[in-house]
Amino acid sequence: MTVPPVELDDLADPAAGFPQATREQWRTLAAEVLRRSGWDGSPGEAEAALTTTTYDGVAVAPLYDAADLPAAPRPARAPGPWDVRQRHADPDPAVTREAIHADLENGVTSLWLDLNAIDPAALPAVLDGVLLDLAPVVLDAGPRTAEAAEAFLRLAVEGAAGNLGADPIGLAARTGAAVDTGAAVALARRCAVDHPGLRAITVDALPYHDAGGADAEELGCSVATGVAYLRALTGAGLTAEQAFGQLEFRYAATADQFLTIAKLRAARRLWARVAEVVGGPGAQLQHAVTSSAMMTVRDPWVNMLRTTVACFAAGVGGADAVTVQPFDACLGLPDAFARRIARNTQALLVEEANVARVADPAGGSWYVERLSDDLAGRAWEWFREIERAGGMAAALERLVPERLAATRAGRADNLAHRRDPITGVSEFPDLKERPVSRRPGPGLAATSGGAPGGGLPVTRYAEEFEALRDLADAQPSRPTVFLATIGPVAAHTARAAFAANLFAAGGVATVTSGPGTDPAAIAAAFRDCGTPVACLCSSDRLYGEHAAAVAAALREAGARTIWLAGKGEYEGVDATLYAGCDALGVLRATFDDLGVDR
């Protein structure tokens, strides 16, 4: 068989021969689909109807094309493996030393030591046997930074690399302490002169993320903090090049992969703009850490999925170093298996998926490019607002806490209504899950001085639901709601499953009446259940035929509260629950009806 030669021109346009689709055609088709759900609008309005908005007010459209590409430059990290950085916070020096050696022998390339938990005086024992010229060390000591830095510098050998972790503004954000940059500046001067491989200062944006802040708020706070440090360093005599070389930036990576990718790309662009104005090198050294706020205590195994997506996004976004939080980090000190999974997540992405082989893998994506540009614009506006307030230290007194509180309130509302679902907690909870326990220890969000005392709050998205689960578990018997399933299985299954899922999110079990429409039989099953709360579950058609009669029978049988899964008003029904309802409100009301003391 002879294969005819292929001309290069034949491969120039793989879409050649296919009709050109237009944005107007897409809008027309989208409008047709929307109308099936009751939407009544023109094709020109379809795109707006499907557009969502981030917590920063950035619009995320359903469709992008080449016209959405911004003209701004896109600084990218050079291709190659990123730094796999593992965090250690076990106060036992021997245990930490053993864990460090296990990590370094199995793919970890740098260490992050929480010296709020580990005594800085134990550093010689903790780092015994570690080749400091090969394995960079990043310190996080909060109020003990000067002490920890001195202990490390006594161990430092020629070629030692890493970061001493001075961050007085970040410490103030976490704890409410006064900002004093003197010690950080002194360490930066020493590093610039005597330890060229070491940086002295970390610009930690995690406090703003952990306080419920949005991505542009995290970016703006980090840029404002970096500029404050540049002023302090150059004011103390360092050149602009030396000052830029002393800073490393730390950002949160979340399971929203596109926002994480865009955030890291936007951060490099913002810092390049600062460098352009100041006249220094524009490269930003980035350390991405998988978010503490997104982690759960309940069903912690799902955290592996969250951190895998976050790690992928951090790598694609161009982070220079990545820390994957072990899946059990919210429960206490991670065990060896959890640390292994954390480091292997990165090994798979780097060595097998080859994510690190491409410079800026998202570059050219119409969606990511537009999102990065919009996010950078919002962050720059926020940075300028902070500067007008007197800089980051002054803004921490009122402006930043108030702004983050507003975002936190909006996020809390979305979490309560399950518009931001949490798998394993607010969605698909397992009341039979076996609890996971770990030795007590500091969580990742508690670094840089521990729990705030006058500083920004430390939040987790799942904590409100998990608090109700804990309360339900503490009762002598499991709180229970009766599901009056009206009609055949096919008619009530969907809404019964929805209601059971919602109640389980608060630790409340459900029992069903089984198929049938006889009010007396359903009421008899309700009496046998022994709960004062019931919920009707069926189709809209069967509600119209039987809801009032069933509700009356349940009321006569002693029902204190009668819910209905769905929407609409029916005689005898107290309230409804539906997709988008206030799930936390439903659960708290149910606890009150069941006599559970909150």
Side-chain angles (χ1 to χ4, degrees):
M1 177 179 178
T2 301
V3 178
V6 177
E7 298 293 336
L8 290 179
D9 288 345
D10 296 337
L11 303 177
D13 184 5
F18 291 91
Q20 183 67 41
T22 66
R23 203 175 189 114
E24 288 67 29
Q25 289 175 322
W26 179 90
R27 288 169 176 157
T28 299
L29 293 172
E32 291 176 2
V33 174
L34 287 172
R35 290 192 188 102
R36 295 173 191 169
S37 62
W39 179 79
D40 183 21
S42 66
E45 298 170 320
E47 198 165 342
L50 293 170
T51 295
T52 59
T53 305
T54 70
Y55 288 106
D56 293 302
V58 173
V60 178
L63 182 69
Y64 292 85
D65 58 25
D68 294 300
L69 283 175
R74 305 182 297 272
R77 182 180 69 87
W82 59 76
D83 183 7
V84 178
R85 184 170 296 171
Q86 192 87 312
R87 175 179 174 267
H88 292 271
D90 195 310
D92 187 330
V95 173
T96 297
R97 178 182 178 277
E98 181 180 356
I100 284 173
H101 281 269
D103 282 343
L104 293 175
E105 290 166 4
N106 290 281
V108 167
T109 55
S110 72
L111 306 172
W112 179 13
L113 303 181
D114 180 1
L115 300 180
N116 297 288
I118 305 168
D119 188 347
L123 271 177
V126 167
L127 295 175
D128 182 34
V130 175
L131 302 179
L132 297 179
D133 55 338
L134 297 179
V137 176
V138 174
L139 308 181
D140 191 348
R144 305 182 71 179
T145 294
E147 177 188 354
E150 289 297 336
F152 181 77
L153 289 174
R154 285 194 292 270
L155 300 174
V157 298
E158 184 177 355
N163 195 306
L164 300 180
D167 185 19
I169 293 177
L171 179 62
R174 286 232 187 259
T175 67
V179 175
D180 181 1
T181 60
V185 169
L187 288 175
R189 290 171 64 93
R190 290 178 63 183
C191 288
V193 175
D194 300 325
H195 303 280
L198 282 174
R199 295 177 185 240
I201 298 176
T202 298
V203 178
D204 190 359
L206 297 186
Y208 316 107
H209 172 80
D210 293 334
D215 297 281
E217 291 165 348
E218 184 183 346
L219 288 173
C221 288
S222 73
V223 173
T225 301
V227 168
Y229 290 151
L230 288 180
R231 290 191 181 109
L233 294 174
T234 54
L238 272 70
T239 66
E241 183 175 0
Q242 289 174 323
F244 275 93
Q246 289 302 306
L247 305 183
E248 178 179 358
F249 289 73
R250 184 177 294 148
Y251 296 107
T254 73
D256 189 326
Q257 66 175 16
F258 288 110
L259 269 176
T260 296
I261 293 168
K263 176 168 67 178
L264 296 176
R265 298 173 85 249
R268 286 193 298 275
R269 179 183 168 194
L270 291 167
W271 197 238
R273 174 58 181 154
V274 171
E276 181 183 355
V277 173
V278 174
Q284 184 189 66
L285 187 66
Q286 293 181 342
H287 174 201
V289 183
T290 58
S291 165
S292 272
M294 73 176 180
M295 301 289 272
T296 66
V297 171
R298 294 289 178 162
D299 206 354
W301 313 102
V302 182
N303 291 331
M304 296 185 197
L305 304 180
R306 298 183 180 100
T307 55
T308 296
V309 174
C311 180
F312 170 80
V316 172
D320 299 281
V322 178
T323 294
V324 170
Q325 183 173 184
F327 74 89
D328 56 358
C330 288
L331 301 167
L333 294 169
D335 65 6
F337 171 74
R339 290 196 305 273
R340 175 188 174 195
I341 293 296
R343 64 178 179 252
N344 282 356
T345 298
Q346 302 211 50
L348 287 168
L349 289 170
V350 173
E351 303 296 339
E352 295 192 26
N354 295 308
V355 173
R357 293 187 66 180
V358 180
D360 193 16
S365 162
W366 300 328
Y367 170 37
V368 176
E369 293 284 12
R370 182 74 266 158
L371 187 60
S372 301
D373 191 67
D374 291 345
L375 201 58
R378 294 283 180 170
W380 192 257
E381 291 174 5
W382 173 228
F383 159 65
R384 294 180 65 188
E385 189 174 347
I386 293 172
E387 287 291 285
R388 287 194 297 270
M392 193 62 196
L396 279 175
E397 297 178 6
R398 184 172 178 179
L399 176 64
V400 170
E402 289 181 353
R403 174 72 171 262
L404 297 184
T407 303
R408 187 167 59 252
R411 191 188 300 276
D413 186 67
N414 282 339
L415 290 166
H417 289 77
R418 301 195 298 178
R419 289 187 287 265
D420 289 350
I422 307 172
T423 303
V425 180
S426 67
E427 293 281 8
F428 311 112
D430 180 9
L431 293 184
K432 297 179 181 179
E433 69 172 286
R434 298 174 60 184
V436 178
S437 61
R438 293 289 184 265
R439 288 189 300 127
L444 184 57
T447 57
S448 298
L456 297 173
V458 177
T459 65
R460 281 192 308 108
Y461 305 148
E463 58 191 351
E464 294 290 338
F465 285 97
E466 290 180 339
L468 293 177
R469 290 280 295 274
D470 292 343
L471 187 58
D473 289 350
Q475 301 306 304
S477 60
R478 172 75 60 185
T480 303
V481 168
F482 176 79
L483 301 184
T485 48
I486 303 170
V489 172
H492 67 241
T493 293
R495 279 176 168 159
F498 168 81
N501 183 61
L502 189 154
F503 286 117
V508 178
T510 53
V511 295
T512 64
S513 61
T517 59
D518 181 13
I522 294 174
F526 170 75
R527 279 191 293 267
D528 292 341
C529 178
T531 178
V533 179
C535 179
L536 308 187
C537 301
S538 190
S539 65
D540 290 342
R541 181 181 65 81
L542 291 179
Y543 281 154
E545 297 174 2
H546 303 286
V550 171
L554 291 172
R555 191 77 68 185
E556 185 176 351
R560 181 180 307 152
T561 302
I562 299 176
W563 296 90
L564 180 141
K567 293 184 178 181
E569 295 184 3
Y570 299 91
E571 184 179 352
V573 172
D574 296 305
T576 58
L577 49 92
Y578 48 88
C581 72
D582 183 355
L584 281 176
V586 170
L587 291 169
R588 288 168 179 153
T590 300
F591 273 48
D592 293 341
D593 292 334
L594 294 174
V596 177
D597 187 6
R598 296 191 287 117

